[in-house]
């Protein structure tokens, strides 16, 4: 992987371990010569992540809609800041420039970005690994809910299992390195079969 897109909070969260994880990941990406692609902001965990990456000599690309940049929260020390027209273009650009995705703790924006890439991965529009950095169990409830979606027949087990989870940045990147995408053929056939039965 030459570049990884990181989704994370525009807030810092209450637990200091979230900031610690963002700092560790920023540094690790720089040390591994993996370009950081992210939302381009200097606030919250995004700011912590980018500052750490910059301090460690990393290459970083921020992608931000012009309307958000006008709020003066764009990071001014990035290798590159790409301004786009809207949130949709931003997500497309983030995906285009990245070989994988990592979600750190965050709110609606982070969950939106994470679930969008999961959906695209399910359809094999992207064949890129998706990692969840489960710092101090932040994503435990979300992952448990995803288990429920499998139990209730809305998410397929293989797609749930495709999500790479670790509480530790180095281990997460290592697991992402060995990622193998799920074949789409069987899944589509299963859905058609369900339709025939119902
Ligand atoms: P949230 O988790 O709701 O704080 O949203 C953070 C995620 O959504 C980040 O990964 C960003 O890509 C995007 N985002 C939301 N708010 C901002 C912001 N103020 N500046 C830059 N990106 C943002």
């Amino acid at each position: 992987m030459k570049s990884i897109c990181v989704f994370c909070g525009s807030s810092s969260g209450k637990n200091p371990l979230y900031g610690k994880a963002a700092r560790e990941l920023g540094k690790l990406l720089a040390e591994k010569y993996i370009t950081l692609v992210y939302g381009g902001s200097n606030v919250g965990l995004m700011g912590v992540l980018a500052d750490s990456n910059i301090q460690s000599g990393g290459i970083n690309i921020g992608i931000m809609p012009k309307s958000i940049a006008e709020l003066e929260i764009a990071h001014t020390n990035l290798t590159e800041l790409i301004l786009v027209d809207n949130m949709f273009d931003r997500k497309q650009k983030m995906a285009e420039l990245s070989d994988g995705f990592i979600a750190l703790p965050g709110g609606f924006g982070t969950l939106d970005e994470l679930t969008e890439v999961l959906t695209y991965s399910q359809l094999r529009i992207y064949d890129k690994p998706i990692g969840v950095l489960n710092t101090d169990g932040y994503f435990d409830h979300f992952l448990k809910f995803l288990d429920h979606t499998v139990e209730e027949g809305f998410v397929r087990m293989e797609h749930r299992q495709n999500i790479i989870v670790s509480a530790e940045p180095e281990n997460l990147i290592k697991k992402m390195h060995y990622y193998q995408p799920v074949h789409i053929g069987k899944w589509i056939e299963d859905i058609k079969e369900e339709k025939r039965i119902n």
Side-chain angles (χ1 to χ4, degrees), residues 44-65:
L45 290 189
M46 280 189 279
V48 175
L49 171 80
D51 285 345
S52 155
N53 188 258
I54 293 165
Q55 276 162 22
S56 302
I59 297 178
N60 34 73
I61 304 174
I63 304 171
M64 201 176 238

Side-chain angles (χ1 to χ4, degrees), residues 7-10 39 41 46 68 73 90 94 106-110 113:
F7 309 131
C8 63
S10 54
S41 179
M46 280 189 279
I68 297 188
I73 52 166
R90 166 209 242 174
M94 281 172 144
F108 281 140
T110 303
E113 291 164 340

Side-chain angles (χ1 to χ4, degrees), residues 38-115:
Y38 85 111
S41 179
N42 63 9
V43 296
L45 290 189
M46 280 189 279
V48 175
L49 171 80
D51 285 345
S52 155
N53 188 258
I54 293 165
Q55 276 162 22
S56 302
I59 297 178
N60 34 73
I61 304 174
I63 304 171
M64 201 176 238
K66 288 171 198 146
S67 56
I68 297 188
E70 278 160 15
L71 301 175
E72 296 181 1
I73 52 166
H75 206 298
T76 50
N77 288 323
L78 302 175
T79 311
E80 191 180 358
L81 179 70
I82 300 176
L83 295 180
V84 292
D85 286 336
N86 52 53
M87 296 293 275
F88 177 77
D89 289 353
R90 166 209 242 174
K91 285 196 276 189
Q92 209 167 20
K93 195 77 188 162
M94 281 172 144
E96 190 186 304
L97 294 181
S98 312
D99 300 320
F101 308 95
I102 292 180
L104 259 67
F108 281 140
T110 303
L111 295 174
D112 166 57
E113 291 164 340
L114 173 61
T115 49

